[in-house]
Structure formats: structure tokens, C-alpha cells
Amino acid sequence: MTNGQEQNRPPYDAKKYRTPDGIPADIVMFTLTKQERRAATKSLPIFDLKVMLIRRKSWPFAGAWALPGGFSQEDESLYETASRELMEETGVEGRHLEYLGVYSKPGRDPRGWIISHAFFAFVEEWVLEKRKAADDAQKVGLFTMKEALEELELAFDHREILKDAYKRIQQQMLQTTIAKQFLPEHFTLSELYQVIQTVVPDFAELNFIRKITSTRSRQGILEEVRDENGQPLLSNQYSQRPAQLYRFTDFTPQLSIYT
Amino acid sequence: MTNGQEQNRPPYDAKKYRTPDGIPADIVMFTLTKQERRAATKSLPIFDLKVMLIRRKSWPFAGAWALPGGFSQEDESLYETASRELMEETGVEGRHLEYLGVYSKPGRDPRGWIISHAFFAFVEEWVLEKRKAADDAQKVGLFTMKEALEELELAFDHREILKDAYKRIQQQMLQTTIAKQFLPEHFTLSELYQVIQTVVPDFAELNFIRKITSTRSRQGILEEVRDENGQPLLSNQYSQRPAQLYRFTDFTPQLSIYT
DNA sequence: GTAATAGTGTCTGTCAGACACTATTAG
DNA sequence: CTAATAGTGTCTGACAGACACTATTAC
């Protein structure tokens, strides 16, 4: 594999250059906790968006909270690294694993030249609770975004990663159908509304039900669930009056600021 | 910097692990070429979205076309690497440099364990033409997306990167105001429309002018340009009848599939 | 006048936003 | 009956989509 021009640019030799000391993948594991409310009758639970963090045992940042993660190996892509770490940390595959970005500011890791790749994932609450129970409670924590961002001492540049991840899922919650990652296969419109509001507190839509169900331009995101006889499937899990169940279709509308 | 728990997890030593052989940043440099049409009178030019590629001289993929790029150094972030490479390749800072993603599939680079970070940038046409002229014409090429994706032999996984970059700027063109990166400070609505259509050929909007200028919900993306006396500024560069000039404000609307 | 782009008139059906109202059911 | 969520009626003004039409100017 040589040619006449090779004299101009000698074959690449990695050993001649300084190379990074490690390429980890760190994962922001989100979960939606559901807490029943004490009410006279059935009522909607209170949702909360939380994130799992691990307390570091050793240098650097011993005692601080950090995102779970680990180093990439030569025989895997970074997505595979993240997927493997997610499995190792929680025992499950998660409902969504997506690349967030690269964090490479010099000096971000006192151990050396370490470039981290952040991912985010959605994991069901019971998985993280199980993980927490299996381990020392001192070591694993589930925190709300506010706690994590404002109150905890975080290792490395993990506060920045968390902020970016939060921004990203807020944007995705409004612009894609990832809400389905937080919901069961079938859900009521109130549940969907609550999920959106939990992740994006600013979201408010007075005529939510009507808009989703009766505007042509949004037709196709959701569809009513019916049983084998074509009867509408209802749920009264959170309400006295049964509510229609919906599911997401696999259609995601393309938005535009000009249209 | 030690504590009692360190025996559980000995201090990190990079030399104990296999580490990557290099972390390059590759840059997709987009430009919008403008070609006057031969018409009886003034008319709109034909735009084309093009990308700059470099022909590789040596192993691996000698002779194939590749994205310009280079290896990251320990004292710089990957964004700084990309920025430096952009400057080295073109002599300018570019009008927009944005991270695209990481490409880490094992075996993507026969030289070893090399993880590439892709960026994309917008560069004015004359810069790339200058670069092309300064060099051997065999070495530097400006290609339309179709040519690059369908006709050229591309090195590494650069076809995949190009595809991803194309998808990304198409999405951004519709959902953000990056169109301004392709336009002069002041522009007519026809120019804007042409730019959008060039990047997103499917885009069609019969009432484009009216929608941009007279719908309240989109108010704020653009504003009319006026001179110091408050008189509207017009341009007849591409038309007999002068057209109102506009500029982008710094407002970008937030879209939602639910609203 | 002609060719080219810039921009408006107008019509229909749909949607957004606001808010009052009815429906259903467990307890 | 009450409390809670589910869902509808209704009204106004704004918008979308379609397409015909007028406006302006260089040549």
C-alpha cells in the first residue's frame, strides 16, 4: 500500500505524537419519579425528573458526585461504550440512549488528557431504585435537576454536562416524540401533559386535549387505542371518569420557523 | 491527595490501559455558490450548496477525497482544534463552526484507534476558491452535495459524516436562523427564500413574503432595514423593481410539536 | 411594450386562545 | 352530594393555502 507520493507525507505513526490518556463515556441517566398524591379520591400523581449520580470514592474529586461512566475500549464505538456502561450500572438497556456531546476542555480531568463523551438515557424509576438499594446508599443518589445543579458538589465538568443534557431533553420533549420514552405503551392525554410539564415546566397549553385530538396539522402524532372489537380503550387509573387511552404513532412532524 | 478508600480503586494510571492513537477533528466546510443567470434582464442567480474536499496523497485512502481536518493537541479543546484547522485550511475564521458528532466505529481508520470529531462550518465562496487556486487543482475540490455523496470516492467514513452534516444543516435551516450565515447583513426576502430552497430543496411556500412579513407569531425573526431618516432601504441588485431589505434580529422562535 | 421580480387582494376553511360549561365516576 | 379528572361549546381574531392580480423598473 504505497505510492510515489508517500515521500511527501510519511506513513502515520501514532507513537510519534502525544495521544489522549483515555476516552470515557459518561451517561446522564434520567428517570421520571411518580409520587401518589394524598387526595380525597383518585388524582394525578406528582412527577419529578431526576438524575442518577455516583459518589466518587477516590482521587480526583473524592466525595463529589459524578455521572456514571467508564472508559472506551479499542474494539467498541463510543455508543457501545455507553451502552455497556448503562448495562453495567443498571442491569438494563434503558429506553433511549443518545449522544449528547464531547467535553474536551484542557485540564478538565486532573488525571491527564481525558476527553469525555456524554450520553443521556432514560431509565425506569424502579431500575435506579434497585441499583440504589443494592449498593451503599451513600454511593448512589437520585436527585432532582434543581438539587443536582444547585446544591451538589459535582466532579469534573459534570455540572456543565448536566446543564446541557437538561437543555437538550427539554428541547427534544417539545420537538420530538421522546415523551413516549417516559410513558407506558398506552397513556391518557393527562399523563402526557404531565410528563411534558414535568420536563418543561414552562409548558402550558390550555386547550391541550382539543389541540392534540382535533387539529389536522398534528394528526398523526397520536392515535386512540381500541380493543379488538373497535371499542375505545379507557383508563381510570388516575381519575374517576375514565379517560381515552392513546399511543404514539411513529410519525414525528418536521417543524419550521418559516412555515 | 489520598484518602482511606484509595486501596479500593488505585490511582489512575493511563499507561496501564490501551489508549487511542489520535483524536482528529474533521470539518465539513459548506459554501453557497452563486451563479448569474443569462437572462434578458436582471434575474435571481442560481445558488448551489457545495462542500470542500481534499484529495488524499498518501496511505490510507490515497487518491480518495476526504474532509479537511487534523489531530487535536493536548492543550486545546476539540472546538479549538477545529477552529485552528479551519484557519489553517482557509485562512479565515468562517461564519459558523459547530460540532456535529463523534465517529468511533472500530476499524474506521486503518492507522489505528482513531476517533474523529466532525464539525461543520460555513465559509464564503471566494475563500474556498482562493484556497483552490493557491493549491494544485487536483488537490482541492468544491463539490455539490450530490456529487460528493453519489459520485466521489470518499476516504474513511466521510460519506457518513457528510450525510449527517447535510441532514443537520437542512434541519437547522428550517428550525433556526442559520440562514443568516449564508446571507449578507441585509438581504431581500427572495434571497432568503432562495437560500432556504437551495439547502432544503423540498421547501416550498407560496405565500412566503406575506407569511414572513405579516404573521404575528413569526414577528421578530426579521426586521426591515431603514436608513438614518427612517426611509426603507431597497435593493435592485437582482430585480428591476427594488425590493425591501431585511435583516435577522437575534430572536429565534422555540418550536413545539404540541403547540 | 416586455421581461423579470416584488408585492397585494381576496376568499375559504382551519386554528389559537380564552373561558365557561357539561360528563363521568368512586367514594 | 362531592371531589376529581375528562372532555365539549362557543366566540373572536388570526392564519394557511390557493391563485389571481397589481406594482415597479431596466432595457
Side-chain angles (χ1 to χ4, degrees):
Chain A
M1 205 52 154
T2 57
N3 67 33
Q5 293 181 304
E6 217 166 73
Q7 43 199 310
N8 300 331
R9 198 185 285 189
Y12 183 78
D13 179 2
K15 290 171 219 71
K16 288 183 4 195
Y17 303 98
R18 171 89 172 93
T19 61
D21 298 321
I23 306 289
D26 291 320
I27 310 174
V28 182
M29 295 184 194
F30 287 111
T31 197
L32 215 63
T33 61
K34 204 189 284 189
Q35 191 189 332
E36 307 291 326
R37 266 194 301 150
R38 231 168 267 300
T41 63
K42 284 182 195 173
S43 63
L44 293 168
I46 296 173
F47 287 96
D48 231 328
L49 179 68
K50 296 198 177 171
V51 69
M52 187 179 89
L53 296 173
I54 308 254
R55 193 192 280 273
R56 288 188 59 83
K57 282 187 305 197
S58 46
W59 182 85
F61 298 102
W65 294 94
L67 296 170
F71 286 90
S72 188
Q73 294 160 4
E74 186 172 11
D75 61 352
E76 63 188 7
S77 69
L78 277 155
Y79 188 89
E80 287 161 356
T81 307
S83 180
R84 174 172 59 74
E85 291 292 337
L86 180 58
M87 184 56 116
E88 288 174 10
E89 294 282 351
T90 66
V92 300
E93 298 217 329
R95 298 190 68 152
H96 184 91
L97 177 62
E98 186 177 327
Y99 182 57
L100 179 64
V102 63
Y103 293 81
S104 57
K105 208 168 65 191
R108 60 175 294 283
D109 190 324
R111 292 171 296 185
W113 185 12
I114 291 181
I115 295 171
S116 173
H117 293 83
F119 288 77
F120 65 96
F122 305 138
V123 175
E124 273 135 325
E125 184 183 5
W126 65 265
V127 175
L128 298 188
E129 289 295 353
K130 204 187 73 182
R131 169 76 170 80
K132 202 169 153 181
D135 222 308
D136 186 348
Q138 293 292 309
K139 258 191 62 186
V140 180
L142 255 185
F143 303 98
T144 64
M145 293 311 296
K146 189 175 149 57
E147 288 167 346
L149 288 175
E150 296 176 14
E151 297 169 21
L152 296 186
E153 186 199 345
L154 297 179
F156 308 103
D157 46 9
H158 287 187
R159 185 182 314 278
E160 193 189 337
I161 297 178
L162 260 185
K163 268 191 213 162
D164 293 346
Y166 191 31
K167 242 200 300 204
R168 176 83 144 260
I169 76 158
Q170 292 195 122
Q171 195 192 319
Q172 297 233 23
M173 182 60 67
L174 296 181
Q175 299 190 357
T176 74
T177 56
I178 44 157
K180 74 176 137 209
Q181 308 298 338
F182 286 118
L183 288 164
E185 168 76 19
H186 300 159
F187 52 86
T188 66
L189 295 182
S190 291
E191 286 180 275
L192 171 59
Y193 189 67
Q194 297 269 105
V195 165
I196 298 172
Q197 277 214 318
T198 303
V199 175
V200 189
D202 287 340
F203 184 78
E205 198 56 48
L206 275 168
N207 295 324
F208 184 71
I209 292 181
R210 170 171 297 120
K211 282 206 192 172
I212 287 291
T213 56
S214 72
T215 61
R216 244 190 355 190
S217 57
R218 271 175 289 273
Q219 289 277 329
I221 313 184
L222 299 180
E223 62 187 6
E224 294 181 2
V225 184
R226 294 168 178 282
D227 67 13
E228 54 284 359
N229 302 319
Q231 291 306 304
L233 268 180
L234 306 176
S235 157
N236 66 344
Q237 186 180 4
Y238 299 124
S239 63
Q240 318 284 45
R241 172 174 173 176
Q244 175 66 50
L245 288 168
Y246 287 83
R247 73 160 73 90
F248 276 100
T249 64
D250 45 12
F251 173 69
T252 305
Q254 290 309 308
L255 302 172
S256 159
I257 61 174
Y258 300 110
T259 305
Chain B
M1 208 44 158
T2 58
N3 67 34
Q5 293 180 304
E6 218 167 70
Q7 43 202 311
N8 301 331
R9 198 185 285 191
Y12 182 78
D13 178 2
K15 292 172 216 71
K16 288 180 7 192
Y17 304 98
R18 171 86 172 95
T19 59
D21 297 321
I23 306 289
D26 290 320
I27 309 173
V28 182
M29 295 183 194
F30 287 112
T31 196
L32 214 63
T33 62
K34 203 188 286 185
Q35 192 190 332
E36 305 292 325
R37 266 194 301 150
R38 228 170 270 299
T41 63
K42 282 183 195 171
S43 63
L44 293 167
I46 296 174
F47 286 97
D48 232 327
L49 179 68
K50 296 199 178 173
V51 68
M52 187 180 89
L53 297 173
I54 307 252
R55 192 193 281 273
R56 287 187 60 80
K57 282 186 303 194
S58 47
W59 182 87
F61 299 102
W65 293 93
L67 296 170
F71 286 89
S72 187
Q73 294 160 4
E74 186 172 13
D75 60 353
E76 63 187 6
S77 69
L78 277 155
Y79 188 89
E80 287 160 356
T81 307
S83 180
R84 175 173 57 75
E85 292 292 337
L86 180 57
M87 186 53 117
E88 288 175 10
E89 295 282 350
T90 66
V92 300
E93 299 217 328
R95 297 191 68 151
H96 184 89
L97 176 62
E98 185 176 327
Y99 183 56
L100 178 63
V102 62
Y103 293 81
S104 57
K105 209 168 67 194
R108 60 175 294 282
D109 190 324
R111 292 171 296 185
W113 184 11
I114 292 182
I115 295 171
S116 172
H117 292 84
F119 289 76
F120 64 95
F122 305 138
V123 175
E124 273 135 327
E125 186 184 3
W126 65 265
V127 175
L128 298 188
E129 290 294 353
K130 202 186 73 182
R131 169 77 169 81
K132 202 170 152 181
D135 222 309
D136 186 349
Q138 293 293 309
K139 259 192 60 185
V140 180
L142 255 184
F143 304 98
T144 64
M145 293 311 294
K146 188 173 150 56
E147 287 168 345
L149 289 174
E150 295 174 16
E151 298 170 21
L152 296 187
E153 185 199 346
L154 296 179
F156 309 104
D157 46 9
H158 287 187
R159 187 181 313 279
E160 194 188 335
I161 297 178
L162 260 185
K163 269 191 214 162
D164 293 346
Y166 192 29
K167 242 199 307 206
R168 176 81 145 263
I169 75 158
Q170 293 194 122
Q171 196 193 315
Q172 297 232 27
M173 183 58 69
L174 295 181
Q175 300 190 358
T176 75
T177 56
I178 43 155
K180 77 176 130 204
Q181 307 299 337
F182 287 118
L183 288 164
E185 169 78 18
H186 301 159
F187 51 88
T188 67
L189 296 181
S190 291
E191 285 180 276
L192 171 58
Y193 189 67
Q194 297 269 105
V195 165
I196 299 172
Q197 277 214 318
T198 303
V199 176
V200 190
D202 287 341
F203 184 79
E205 198 56 52
L206 275 167
N207 295 322
F208 185 73
I209 291 182
R210 166 165 305 116
K211 282 208 190 169
I212 286 291
T213 55
S214 72
T215 63
R216 242 191 356 193
S217 58
R218 272 176 287 273
Q219 290 275 331
I221 313 182
L222 298 182
E223 63 187 7
E224 294 180 3
V225 184
R226 295 169 177 281
D227 66 15
E228 56 281 3
N229 302 319
Q231 290 308 301
L233 269 181
L234 307 177
S235 155
N236 67 343
Q237 186 179 5
Y238 299 123
S239 62
Q240 317 284 44
R241 172 173 172 175
Q244 174 66 50
L245 287 169
Y246 286 83
R247 73 162 72 92
F248 276 99
T249 65
D250 44 12
F251 173 69
T252 306
Q254 290 309 308
L255 303 172
S256 157
I257 60 174
Y258 300 111
T259 303

